[in-house]
Amino acid sequence: MGIEEKLPSGVLLTTVEGVAGYMRKASFWPATFGLACCAIEMMTSGGPKYDLARFGMEVFRASPRQADLMIVAGRVSQKMAPVLRQIYDQMPDPKWVLAMGVCASSGGMFNNYAIVQGVDHVVPVDMYLPGCPPRPEMLIDAILKLHDQVQSAKLGANRIAQIETLETEALAAIPTSAMRGQLR
């Protein structure tokens, strides 16, 4: 017989991290950063057919100071990279980045001097969304997966320890260039 059975009905037990995570995930305010054809799919996801408002994302913010999720949709040129970084730096913490499309994720078919080969060279990316261009359903799925990450994120000193653990695991991982067909 646990404490849950001794409490009256209607009483909910949780942690501060749980409540904060729930509130953060339920109130994403995305910043628009549409650079190419993926931006059309991003705009479509906010329309009546797909309706991102169901997930707490009422409007896309034009000001980075009002946004906590940056969706980089499309290829990033070398000239645009400093602007992208400036907008990212102007966003308040906590902030997340979603790389939408193969061009934002890895440069796509544009393997030349003018295009950044992955937006992760400019800002830290939390979620990669493949496709050329990815469908609105895929964007919504990626946002829902990001919701799960945000809800389970720790706070304060626990967050610092979580980041250090994730960085240690990432540094210990085998680089993809060294895998050569291995499945892991």
Side-chain angles (χ1 to χ4, degrees):
M1 184 166 184
I3 191 168
E4 295 87 11
E5 291 147 6
K6 292 183 179 181
L7 293 172
S9 64
V11 174
L12 177 69
L13 297 178
T14 187
T15 62
V16 174
E17 286 179 345
V19 171
Y22 180 79
M23 295 303 168
R24 282 183 181 167
K25 85 162 191 152
S27 63
F28 268 157
W29 285 8
T32 55
F33 209 84
L35 299 169
C37 45
C38 290
I40 301 300
E41 300 295 327
M42 180 177 67
M43 289 182 247
T44 303
S45 66
K49 184 174 182 182
Y50 299 101
D51 195 19
L52 273 175
R54 295 177 292 164
F55 307 108
M57 300 172 67
E58 294 296 326
V59 293
F60 286 89
R61 301 294 167 182
S63 170
R65 290 176 180 86
Q66 297 175 347
D68 55 4
L69 171 64
M70 177 185 278
I71 302 174
V72 181
R75 59 189 177 272
V76 180
S77 66
Q78 295 289 351
K79 281 187 167 184
M80 188 57 76
V83 177
L84 176 81
R85 183 63 198 203
Q86 180 181 10
I87 290 173
Y88 176 80
D89 290 338
Q90 290 175 352
M91 291 170 62
D93 284 325
K95 52 191 165 190
W96 298 275
V97 177
L98 193 149
M100 181 179 178
V102 71
C103 293
S105 299
S106 65
M109 65 201 84
F110 304 101
N111 190 10
N112 61 32
Y113 66 92
I115 303 298
V116 175
Q117 298 301 305
V119 74
D120 54 354
H121 292 284
V122 183
V123 294
V125 176
D126 298 294
M127 181 72 64
Y128 294 93
L129 177 57
C132 184
R135 299 274 308 136
E137 298 94 343
M138 295 171 67
L139 176 60
I140 291 171
D141 182 58
I143 290 170
L144 292 177
K145 288 179 181 172
L146 193 58
H147 277 184
D148 294 339
Q149 284 184 10
V150 169
Q151 187 169 3
S152 63
K154 305 289 184 193
L155 295 176
N158 295 336
R159 177 70 180 148
I160 294 168
Q162 184 184 30
I163 290 171
E164 289 174 357
T165 304
L166 292 172
E167 286 178 354
T168 304
E169 290 173 3
L171 289 173
I174 299 171
T176 54
S177 60
M179 286 186 177
R180 305 280 184 220
Q182 298 174 12
L183 295 175
R184 291 194 180 205

